[in-house]
């Protein structure tokens, strides 16, 4: 199976919000809510502060507010055409009658294809749609991975030509996606490594508990510890848990 981890260059900052508002209007969403967003975004001002100096204010003409509550929703709405173009292109991995050729979480996208030609076609479609949406693909950070079959006799080829997307894309053997380490041999050892798990827990405890909730009761801290510090997201997919022992 071929996978491609797509990285967009300053994805949230390059959103053309006038195109975004047009999409919202075309879907007949509440007119007054859209006008509120138009007024909010079209009157954005910012300045740069360096040590004790502050620049004059300037207008922000594009992009969504990073860290804003509405930003993930608005960005997902903006890249809807990109997602639908990939899903409906007719190639990629299929499970029963379902096409599973794209995983997307905000601006983190992964393309899946069972053949080299299928992946190249999906990348061509992706490039075309991104150009229409004024989104730039960062080819320096966009990488590909080949997951070989468990039985080596079923492997048709051991090496493949690089995929083309403005320039050649690099092949990797492992990649960190949404905080989890994926490997081309389907091993979980890198993701459940003891030092990595302990380091993540130490960071979460210091940031979430000590820094932000130091005045809360012990009961509240206990609940927060179980919620934020015990990061077992997707642990049900681990198949090689002997690495912790």
């Amino acid at each position: 199976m071929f996978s491609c981890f797509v990285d967009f260059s300053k994805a949230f900052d390059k959103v053309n919000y006038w195109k975004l508002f047009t999409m919202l209007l075309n879907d007949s969403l509440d007119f007054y809510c859209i006008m509120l967003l138009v007024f909010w975004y079209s009157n954005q001002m910012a300045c740069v502060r360096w040590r004790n100096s502050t620049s004059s204010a300037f207008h922000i003409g594009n992009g969504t507010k990073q860290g804003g509550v509405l930003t993930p929703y608005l960005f997902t709405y903006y890249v809807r055409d990109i997602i639908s173009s990939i899903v409906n292109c007719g190639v990629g991995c299929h499970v029963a009658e379902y096409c599973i050729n794209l995983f997307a979480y905000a601006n983190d996208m992964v393309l899946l294809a069972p053949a080299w030609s299928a992946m190249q076609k999906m990348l061509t479609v992706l490039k075309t749609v991104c150009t229409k949406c004024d989104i730039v693909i960062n080819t320096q950070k966009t990488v590909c991975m080949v997951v070989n079959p468990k039985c080596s006799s079923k492997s048709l080829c051991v090496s493949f030509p690089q995929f083309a997307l403005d320039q050649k894309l690099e092949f990797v053997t492992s990649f960190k996606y949404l905080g989890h380490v994926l490997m081309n041999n389907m091993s979980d050892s890198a993701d459940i490594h003891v030092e990595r798990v302990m380091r993540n827990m130490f960071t979460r405890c210091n940031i979430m508990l000590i820094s932000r909730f130091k005045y809360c009761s012990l009961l509240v801290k206990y609940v927060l510890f179980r919620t934020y510090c015990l990061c077992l997201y997707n642990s049900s997919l681990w198949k090689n848990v002997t690495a912790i022992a």
Side-chain angles (χ1 to χ4, degrees):
M1 185 188 70
F2 295 86
S3 59
C4 181
F5 301 92
V6 182
D7 183 84
F8 297 111
S9 178
K10 300 183 183 297
F12 290 97
D13 296 333
K14 292 189 182 275
V15 170
N16 186 328
Y17 51 70
W18 294 112
K19 288 185 178 181
L20 172 62
F21 299 146
T22 302
M23 294 177 183
L24 297 175
L25 288 172
N26 291 338
D27 283 356
S28 301
L29 297 182
D30 188 88
F31 176 78
Y32 294 103
C33 290
I34 298 175
M35 290 302 298
L36 177 62
L37 291 173
V38 170
F39 177 81
W40 183 21
Y41 275 90
S42 60
N43 289 278
Q44 290 182 107
M45 302 293 290
C47 59
V48 178
R49 184 171 62 184
W50 174 256
R51 295 184 179 179
N52 296 325
S53 301
T54 303
S55 70
S56 56
F58 55 89
H59 177 71
I60 301 177
N62 57 279
T64 55
K65 294 177 177 291
Q66 293 200 37
V69 176
L70 286 177
T71 297
Y73 172 79
L74 294 176
F75 183 81
T76 304
Y77 215 95
Y78 187 74
V79 299
R80 182 182 59 180
D81 291 341
I82 298 177
I83 296 175
S84 60
S85 297
I86 296 296
V87 173
N88 298 325
C89 69
V91 297
C93 295
H94 288 74
V95 177
E97 71 273 17
Y98 299 101
C99 179
I100 307 177
N101 58 2
L102 172 68
F103 288 107
Y105 184 84
N107 61 327
D108 295 312
M109 295 188 181
V110 183
L111 306 180
L112 302 175
W116 188 94
S117 57
M119 177 59 73
Q120 184 59 64
K121 180 179 179 179
M122 293 168 64
L123 290 173
T124 303
V125 173
L126 177 67
K127 177 184 175 182
T128 303
V129 182
C130 285
T131 302
K132 295 180 181 179
C133 297
D134 299 328
I135 292 181
V136 179
I137 302 174
N138 188 347
T139 54
Q140 298 293 331
K141 294 184 178 180
T142 298
V143 296
C144 301
M145 181 187 297
V146 181
V147 180
N148 296 316
K150 293 182 179 180
C151 181
S152 58
S153 61
K154 295 182 180 180
S155 181
L156 301 179
C157 186
V158 294
S159 62
F160 300 90
Q162 292 177 284
F163 294 104
L165 189 65
D166 289 333
Q167 67 180 44
K168 301 297 183 180
L169 301 180
E170 178 186 0
F171 279 102
V172 296
T173 57
S174 64
F175 186 83
K176 189 174 183 179
Y177 179 71
L178 298 180
H180 290 273
V181 181
L182 307 178
M183 303 185 69
N184 66 336
N185 60 358
M186 299 300 291
S187 173
D188 301 318
S189 58
D191 192 42
I192 58 180
H193 194 272
V194 177
E195 294 183 0
R196 176 178 175 274
V197 174
M198 292 179 62
R199 184 169 58 251
N200 288 343
M201 181 176 291
F202 180 81
T203 302
R204 291 169 182 268
C205 288
N206 278 278
I207 294 177
M208 296 303 302
L209 293 182
I210 299 178
S211 301
R212 300 182 183 179
F213 303 102
K214 58 182 178 181
Y215 297 112
C216 295
S217 65
L218 183 62
L219 180 60
V220 172
K221 291 180 180 179
Y222 174 72
V223 175
L224 291 173
F225 179 83
R226 294 187 58 185
T227 304
Y228 296 104
C229 300
L230 295 180
C231 184
L232 298 177
Y233 177 71
N234 275 346
S235 60
S236 58
L237 299 178
W238 290 345
K239 62 184 180 61
N240 180 21
V241 296
T242 56
I244 294 183

